[in-house]
């Protein structure tokens, strides 16, 4: 079968590999769509030894069941499903609570991270990772598994502060940010302030329903402050889907005392946290800082329900499998609005 594999650090190549076979408890899925994620770029850029090589990338997967392995119940050839990408140990306290994204035994890993992913015609996954999507377009279903799930999990972590009438700043209206904005609109009654460097992204935010838009730049903090009020007041929640130094600086300067910052993006910025009494603290007092990671299977079930109900829709740009390397280069250059989705 055709596959796009990382064959060395930074090297993504088209290859021909044997079609895998489903083992006990597994399903062979005919891949219908795979989301291209910034996390894949971090995997490609990692030094040798951090991730398996060679490995087929792609952790945002939706497809159709081709064959089922021994011992699999509840799935039949032809069933359409999205893949929950995390594989925890299944035995630690976090996994037993259904929080495999917080597994205390296995470090960050899963399908497309520590074993072959979906940038291929077929992929083998444990049957327990599948969730039904019905007749949903698979190019819509695939992004739900990360671009939808991760912001949903982040919003869920912040939900106690996302009360009606509060303010939430959403920084970065890209693959995850535009989904997070819709999740806020569908599940809360907060006032949403969208922030991005790109006017097209802000236009998208406006069409989706953001109440205010602010272009990132030297005067962004001042403009946001005009909307949320002066310190110690401010935004009750800031969702940073970028994670670069400028966005983290914006987040800490606009969040309210007692608010919450959620660092979802992986752009490598640093958030200074330092208790001081003789000067304003770099992060306001009583402010929570959380680094969300993916989400739970139960949360993915809820994300799929939102999408099937028509309240969550990914702005997708499709690429054939033959153009997967070009899709990632476009993603790296910041040329993709919404989510790039690769179709084998």
């Amino acid at each position: 079968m055709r596959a796009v594999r990382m064959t060395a650090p930074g090297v993504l190549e088209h290859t021909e590999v044997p079609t895998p076979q489903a083992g006990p408890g597994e399903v062979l899925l005919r891949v219908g769509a795979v989301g291209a994620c910034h996390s894949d770029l971090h995997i490609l850029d990692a030094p040798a030894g951090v991730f398996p090589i060679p490995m087929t990338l792609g952790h945002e997967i939706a497809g159709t069941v081709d064959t089922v392995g021994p011992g699999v119940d509840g799935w039949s050839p032809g069933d359409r499903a999205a893949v929950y990408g995390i594989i925890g140990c299944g035995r630690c306290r976090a996994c037993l609570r259904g929080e495999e994204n917080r597994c205390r035994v296995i470090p960050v890993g899963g399908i497309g991270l520590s074993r072959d992913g979906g940038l291929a015609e077929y992929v083998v996954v444990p049957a327990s990772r599948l969730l039904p999507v019905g007749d949903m377009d698979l190019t819509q279903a695939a992004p739900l598994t990360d671009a939808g799930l991760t912001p949903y999990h982040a919003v869920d972590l912040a939900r106690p502060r996302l009360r009606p009438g509060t303010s939430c700043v959403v920084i970065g209206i890209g693959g995850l940010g535009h989904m997070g904005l819709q999740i806020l609109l569908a599940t809360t009654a907060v006032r949403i302030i969208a922030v991005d460097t790109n006017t097209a992204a802000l236009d998208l935010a406006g069409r989706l329903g953001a109440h205010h838009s602010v272009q990132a730049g030297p005067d962004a903090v001042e403009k946001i402050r005009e909307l949320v009020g002066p310190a110690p007041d401010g935004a009750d929640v800031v969702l940073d889907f970028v994670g670069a130094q400028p966005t983290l600086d914006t987040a800490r300067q606009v969040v309210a005392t007692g608010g919450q910052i959620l660092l979802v993006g992986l752009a490598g910025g640093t958030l200074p946290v330092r208790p001081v009494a003789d000067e304003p603290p770099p992060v306001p007092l009583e402010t929570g800082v959380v680094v969300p990671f993916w989400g739970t299977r139960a949360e993915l079930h809820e994300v799929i329900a939102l999408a099937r109900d028509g309240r969550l829709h990914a702005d997708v740009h499709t690429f054939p499998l033959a153009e997967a390397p070009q899709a990632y280069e476009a993603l790296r250059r910041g040329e993709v609005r919404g989510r790039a989705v690769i179709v084998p």
Side-chain angles (χ1 to χ4, degrees), residues 294-312:
W294 228 332
T296 68
R297 278 186 288 174
E299 288 170 330
L300 180 54
H301 183 270
E302 294 167 3
V303 169
I304 292 170
L306 280 178
R308 295 189 69 177
D309 196 43
R311 296 200 282 173
L312 182 60

Side-chain angles (χ1 to χ4, degrees), residues 166-173 181 184 190-196 202 205 210-214 220 223-229 234-235 237-239 254:
T166 57
S167 295
C168 180
V169 174
V170 179
I171 302 176
I173 313 300
L181 194 156
L184 287 167
V190 302
R191 181 175 58 149
I192 302 169
I193 302 165
V195 181
D196 202 289
L202 294 177
H211 302 94
H212 303 279
S213 294
V214 173
K223 290 183 178 179
I224 296 169
R225 277 290 175 193
E226 291 174 358
L227 297 169
V228 300
V237 173
V238 180
L239 292 164
V254 301

Side-chain angles (χ1 to χ4, degrees), residues 33-37 40 60 139 142-143 147 175 178 315-319 324 326-328 330-331 336-343:
V34 187
C37 180
D40 296 326
E60 285 188 357
T139 62
H178 89 288
D315 181 27
V316 302
H317 302 267
T318 58
F319 296 80
Q326 292 92 319
Y328 281 107
L331 188 64
V336 177
R337 292 293 100 196
R339 199 57 155 181
V341 175
I342 297 163
V343 181

